[in-house]
Amino acid sequence: MTEKNPEPLSDEQLAPQHIAIIMDGNGRWAESRHLPRSSGHQKGVQSVRRVVKHCAKLGVNTLTLFAFSSENLNRSNEEVGLLFKLFLTVLKNETKKLKDNNIKLKIIGDLSVFTPEIQRLANDAEKQLASNDGLNLVVAANYGGQWDIAESAKKIAVKSLNGEINPEKIDIALFQAHTSLAEHPKVDLLIRTSGEIRISNFLLWDIAYSELYFTKTLWPDFDENELDLAIESFHSRDRRFGEQNGEK
Ligand code: IPE
Ligand code: IPE
Ligand code: MG
């Protein structure tokens, strides 16, 4: 047995360094108001702004947001078109604000399904924000956790064939280094809004030891206070990482 550190962890050390959110419930928010689903998605953008700002203020290192899953492509052409348009508008309108707030951006997922204009704007936004050193904002667009794992396997297979990687040396750390979130701290807290208790193919590899938090609140109603409640719940957890139960 290794020696335990006798010093209790400070609150700062316990603070979630990486928060990931499945932003769900936009459609239900709109439908309950007899509004088109699009207005729920638009309202959801305001929640994104609030949460990004709040995470930056709290000193969170990375915030990963599930904006569009690979399965969401199966929605009606109308809704997919609308979501793509909203993504484009957000990229156009928000990049400068992110720049001013010292926020860095990374977009993960299979971007090949997006229009060339969206791909270019996404790329430009990442470049424009690359020199910022505040909150790392990661947006998952046309993302699937299974896709991420398969991509990592593919990259490693190609390097093995090239002789860059010895297959005998493939281990967890090497696999991790080829995933979309390789450069970011481990996901401490995963939040899902809207009452669904499932992962829906969001981060899979990355949530091996994340704390999970589910709230019935619909994404357009999610605000700073709701995030504080999730973080409070995170602080109350006894993260054991497989070790025996004991004093915190
Ligand atoms: C989440 O809201 C946003 C996306 C999946 C793009 P939904 O559109 O899934 O809303 P509900 O779940 O139908 O209420
Ligand atoms: C997950 O929500 C995807 C996003 C929030 C972007 P969905 O609404 O697509 O998930 P399911 O269909 O309820 O599992
Ligand atoms: Mg949903």
Side-chain angles (χ1 to χ4, degrees):
M1 278 284 156
T2 49
E3 280 272 312
K4 283 276 166 62
N5 182 354
E7 292 295 321
L9 291 174
S10 70
D11 272 354
E12 208 165 63
Q13 284 168 301
L14 284 170
Q17 281 300 291
H18 189 161
I19 299 176
I21 309 182
I22 303 174
M23 310 184 289
D24 197 15
N26 294 348
R28 276 164 283 171
W29 183 92
E31 278 156 18
S32 70
R33 287 165 175 77
H34 308 286
L35 294 168
R37 290 176 63 85
S38 57
S39 65
H41 295 312
Q42 268 155 11
K43 191 82 182 164
V45 176
Q46 294 177 18
S47 301
V48 171
R49 285 196 200 101
R50 284 197 290 266
V51 166
V52 168
K53 266 200 186 155
H54 200 51
C55 282
K57 185 178 144 210
L58 295 175
V60 170
N61 177 293
T62 302
L63 172 68
T64 298
L65 299 176
F66 202 11
F68 188 82
S69 78
S70 38
E71 287 72 25
N72 290 150
L73 268 186
N74 300 326
R75 293 190 179 190
S76 69
N77 288 343
E78 191 195 348
E79 182 154 354
V80 172
L82 219 140
L83 287 165
F84 279 24
K85 215 167 137 196
L86 190 61
F87 189 28
L88 182 114
T89 311
V90 167
L91 282 168
K92 274 189 181 158
N93 295 345
E94 306 291 321
T95 305
K96 176 150 191 332
K97 287 180 219 160
L98 293 175
K99 178 100 189 152
D100 295 344
N101 284 288
N102 195 24
I103 292 163
K104 223 172 157 147
L105 177 71
K106 184 178 163 79
I107 298 167
I108 60 170
D110 178 4
L111 300 190
S112 66
V113 299
F114 295 107
T115 61
E117 189 186 14
I118 294 183
Q119 291 184 44
R120 184 180 52 74
L121 280 168
N123 201 14
D124 286 355
E126 284 181 343
K127 277 197 193 133
Q128 277 181 52
L129 304 173
S131 58
N132 282 354
D133 60 6
L135 175 73
N136 290 293
L137 174 63
V138 180
V139 175
N142 193 32
Y143 177 88
Q146 292 175 328
W147 168 86
D148 202 346
I149 292 170
E151 279 296 297
S152 180
K154 187 159 65 183
K155 286 179 197 151
I156 293 169
V158 169
K159 287 188 188 173
S160 297
L161 282 173
N162 290 342
E164 276 175 69
I165 286 176
N166 173 356
E168 292 294 331
K169 295 269 152 65
I170 298 171
D171 59 8
I172 292 169
L174 188 126
F175 198 92
Q176 161 82 26
H178 289 82
T179 59
S180 297
L181 294 179
E183 292 136 41
H184 299 277
K186 286 198 176 68
V187 177
D188 292 309
L189 173 62
L190 172 75
I191 299 171
R192 181 170 188 150
T193 59
S194 92
E196 310 298 350
I197 319 278
R198 55 175 172 260
I199 302 299
S200 301
N201 197 18
F202 188 30
L203 306 170
L204 295 177
W205 172 273
D206 314 84
I207 59 165
Y209 258 109
S210 306
E211 296 298 326
L212 310 182
Y213 180 88
F214 298 95
T215 170
K216 289 207 164 89
T217 302
L218 303 173
W219 178 248
D221 293 324
F222 196 87
D223 59 10
E224 296 85 346
N225 184 43
E226 294 277 343
L227 183 63
D228 287 342
L229 288 175
I231 294 175
E232 204 178 296
S233 168
F234 172 82
H235 281 302
S236 74
R237 313 278 177 95
D238 180 10
R239 303 191 82 193
R240 290 195 288 278
F241 300 102
E243 292 185 18
Q244 76 278 20
N245 199 354
E247 293 286 301
K248 254 180 130 178

